Amino acid sequence: MADIIYRAARATDALTIAAIHVASWRDAYRSLLDPVFLAGPIEDDRRSHWLGKFDTPSANFLVDVAATADGNLVGFAATHRDRDPRWGSLLDNLHVLPEMRGRKIGEALLRSAARALASRQADDGLHLWVFEANAAALRFYTRLGGHVVERKLSQAPIENDRMILRVHWPALSDLL
Ligand SMILES: CC(C)(COP(=O)(O)OP(=O)(O)OC[C@H]1O[C@@H](n2cnc3c(N)ncnc32)[C@H](O)[C@@H]1OP(=O)(O)O)[C@@H](O)C(=O)NCCC(=O)NCCS
């Protein structure tokens, strides 16, 4: 999209990224995550998560953001480089603000995350976990060439024993 800029996140983006994360989970995961968590604790949870990530940066944890021309962030993608010897780097989070979805911003973020990993000589392969019930995201990933390679119950306490799927791209070049 012509008027969206993609760039590496800065520490000063932490609270805005947290707010996008909250808005996206409240919208996309409203029937999936614990409603009590979504109603309140999610805000502190995401703020401390993202402030912590930027307070103690790691060369292997990469965050890209999508911003409008006037500087408002509308989405982000986070990856852990070379997270798994078999499946490669991990796409930890990919979120676009609900009102900005369906404009190829998510696709551009995923491709820019793959480019950032490749430019840091990451091993081949990218994977992620998605809720099986998140049909729209699953369609998005498979349309971009990802393969479902594993299915299991989530162990995360707030995820209520939901079924999750591992989606894998064998080569980063599949996304470049
Ligand atoms: C999944 C997501 C990152 C895709 O970003 P996006 O900018 O909407 O995606 P694009 O415009 O590049 O592609 C659109 C595709 O995304 C999917 N999609 C997912 N949620 C969507 C939504 N609310 N509106 C429109 N498309 C959506 C559709 O499959 C759509 O494909 P289609 O055009 O063939 O129907 C984004 O919709 C989002 O943040 N969803 C909620 C959070 C989430 O599920 N993240 C993934 C967790 S593993």
Side-chain angles (χ1 to χ4, degrees):
M1 207 185 167
D3 54 350
I4 299 289
I5 292 153
Y6 299 88
R7 63 164 172 82
R10 306 188 266 261
T12 50
D13 296 323
L15 290 177
T16 312
I17 291 172
I20 294 171
H21 211 164
V22 169
S24 185
W25 274 5
R26 279 185 171 153
D27 178 81
Y29 296 174
R30 61 185 170 276
S31 58
L32 296 172
L33 297 187
D34 177 355
V36 174
F37 172 73
L38 283 179
I42 185 178
E43 292 184 10
D44 280 348
D45 177 86
R46 291 300 85 193
R47 263 196 299 267
S48 61
H49 175 84
W50 285 107
L51 287 171
K53 289 287 185 200
F54 286 100
D55 277 354
T56 50
S58 153
N60 287 328
F61 183 69
L62 314 176
V63 187
D64 277 346
V65 293
T68 59
D70 50 3
N72 294 315
L73 302 196
V74 295
F76 68 93
T79 53
H80 292 270
R81 178 176 173 269
D82 295 345
R83 184 59 174 256
D84 185 281
R86 176 162 181 199
W87 305 111
S89 299
L90 172 71
L91 181 72
D92 191 29
N93 271 294
L94 173 63
H95 290 276
V96 174
L97 275 177
E99 61 273 25
M100 296 297 284
R101 289 180 193 152
R103 303 179 194 196
K104 308 290 177 207
I105 296 171
E107 177 175 344
L109 277 168
L110 181 56
R111 293 191 191 284
S112 83
R115 251 191 326 273
L117 288 164
S119 73
R120 286 166 179 77
Q121 285 77 45
D123 291 341
D124 239 347
L126 180 69
H127 70 116
L128 59 89
W129 290 100
V130 59
F131 286 117
E132 188 173 49
N134 190 354
L138 190 56
R139 211 170 46 240
F140 166 81
Y141 292 130
T142 52
R143 186 164 50 79
L144 291 173
H147 306 277
V148 175
V149 291
E150 194 177 338
R151 181 175 185 265
K152 68 174 189 181
L153 277 180
S154 168
Q155 304 294 315
I158 57 163
E159 295 187 353
N160 301 327
D161 277 346
R162 297 283 172 194
M163 207 48 95
I164 55 174
L165 303 175
R166 192 200 296 267
V167 178
H168 182 234
W169 289 262
L172 289 173
S173 58
D174 296 343
L175 285 164
L176 299 181

